[in-house]
Amino acid sequence: MHTDLIGKAIYAYHFHGDDTTIDTYIDGEPDAQMPPSLFFRDKRHMNHLEREALKRCKGKVLDIGAAAGCHSLILQQAGLDVTANEISSPACKVMHERGIQNIVQEDILHHQGNYDTVLLLMNGLGIARKKNQLLHFLKHLKSLLRPGGQILTDSTDIQYHHEQLSLTKDYYGEVSFLLEYKGQHETFDWLYADKELIRQTAHACGLKFELLKENRNNAFLVRLSK
């Protein structure tokens, strides 16, 4: 059941100052607690992968899974033409209140447009859900790019705790998320794609792959371009 717990938490934080954490579990194991204020970070509190991605944005930008709009707001303030894409109605209301000018509330797979930069941060490729859906997802993102356009996205290689994951999986980067917030629960599939999977899938749909940055936590930033 989709209960949009992140959207509700973002709304409660923005309008009521309620920073009650969202508890997260990956494949049944407790993971990091997620305060809603995380989605309202300014540039100083973003990691170096995010800052590098924002620096490389150009032209007309589509920010996919914009949440509370922290990345969109920075780009808009820098003078870029940015469209914030988000499926959550409460999150879209928050972005509107924060002054983000172009908001599209829509499943990204239904969205059409032409952009110079498509941005997916905070493990944005996870939206593909499964390894066998990544090619379809990247083909759709490619269809949104103008000639010379780019996709900027980060991901995390989670093989470092492979031992803790189910050995029955077809791919170790496919996980099941459980969110818990104020007594409500939400589950969904998510994909942590490793560099080689992204490289191979990008090449399969005619995109160039470039590794831009990595960090010590096995997270990395890539650019895929036409």
Side-chain angles (χ1 to χ4, degrees):
M1 180 180 176
H2 181 66
T3 50
D4 190 16
L5 295 187
I6 291 177
K8 289 176 180 177
I10 285 171
Y11 189 94
Y13 177 76
H14 180 74
F15 288 104
H16 306 294
D18 182 353
D19 205 17
T20 302
T21 58
I22 304 164
D23 293 322
T24 68
Y25 301 83
I26 296 180
D27 291 341
E29 296 294 325
D31 199 54
Q33 288 188 314
M34 192 161 50
S37 53
L38 175 74
F39 297 99
F40 293 81
R41 290 162 297 143
D42 59 23
K43 199 170 185 177
R44 292 171 302 164
H45 295 97
M46 291 179 182
N47 65 46
H48 73 285
L49 299 182
E50 291 174 289
R51 292 196 297 268
E52 181 70 20
L54 292 170
K55 186 173 74 177
R56 289 175 177 268
C57 287
K58 62 181 183 180
K60 188 177 180 185
V61 181
L62 177 66
D63 179 15
I64 296 176
C70 63
H71 302 116
S72 290
L73 205 54
I74 291 167
L75 295 172
Q76 183 177 291
Q77 290 168 347
L80 274 74
D81 178 1
V82 57
T83 297
N85 163 259
E86 176 55 59
I87 201 168
S88 165
S89 177
C92 286
K93 289 174 183 174
V94 168
M95 285 195 285
H96 177 74
E97 286 291 319
R98 299 187 79 199
I100 293 173
Q101 294 167 0
N102 302 318
I103 303 168
V104 175
Q105 185 185 340
E106 185 176 32
D107 183 326
I108 188 56
L109 289 174
H110 299 152
H111 184 63
Q112 301 295 324
N114 291 282
Y115 300 92
D116 300 292
T117 301
V118 170
L119 183 69
L120 304 95
L121 293 179
M122 298 180 75
N123 287 289
L125 286 181
I127 295 171
R129 309 294 186 196
K130 296 286 186 181
K131 177 184 176 182
N132 64 9
Q133 295 173 19
L134 184 59
L135 179 61
H136 174 69
F137 186 60
L138 285 185
K139 282 182 176 178
H140 179 65
L141 297 187
K142 181 185 177 184
S143 77
L144 302 175
L145 293 178
R146 290 172 171 169
Q150 61 177 351
I151 299 164
L152 296 171
T153 187
D154 60 349
S155 187
T156 305
D157 188 337
I158 62 169
Q159 192 166 19
Y160 64 92
H161 68 268
H162 190 217
E163 305 78 25
Q164 302 170 24
L165 302 173
S166 169
L167 298 177
T168 62
K169 290 184 180 183
D170 292 331
Y171 176 62
Y172 67 84
E174 293 180 350
V175 302
S176 175
F177 257 106
L178 167 66
L179 304 183
E180 185 175 4
Y181 175 70
K182 295 184 177 180
Q184 292 185 288
H185 298 82
E186 180 178 359
T187 58
F188 53 89
D189 293 326
W190 199 253
L191 178 67
Y192 287 100
D194 69 89
K195 291 187 287 287
E196 192 54 34
L197 173 60
I198 298 172
R199 185 196 309 274
Q200 291 176 2
T201 310
H203 288 168
C205 60
L207 289 167
K208 299 172 189 170
F209 173 96
E210 183 183 356
L211 177 64
L212 299 177
K213 267 189 183 296
E214 297 180 83
N215 71 18
R216 288 173 293 184
N217 299 318
N218 298 294
F220 56 90
L221 174 71
V222 301
R223 174 164 56 195
L224 312 177
S225 55
K226 289 181 88 170

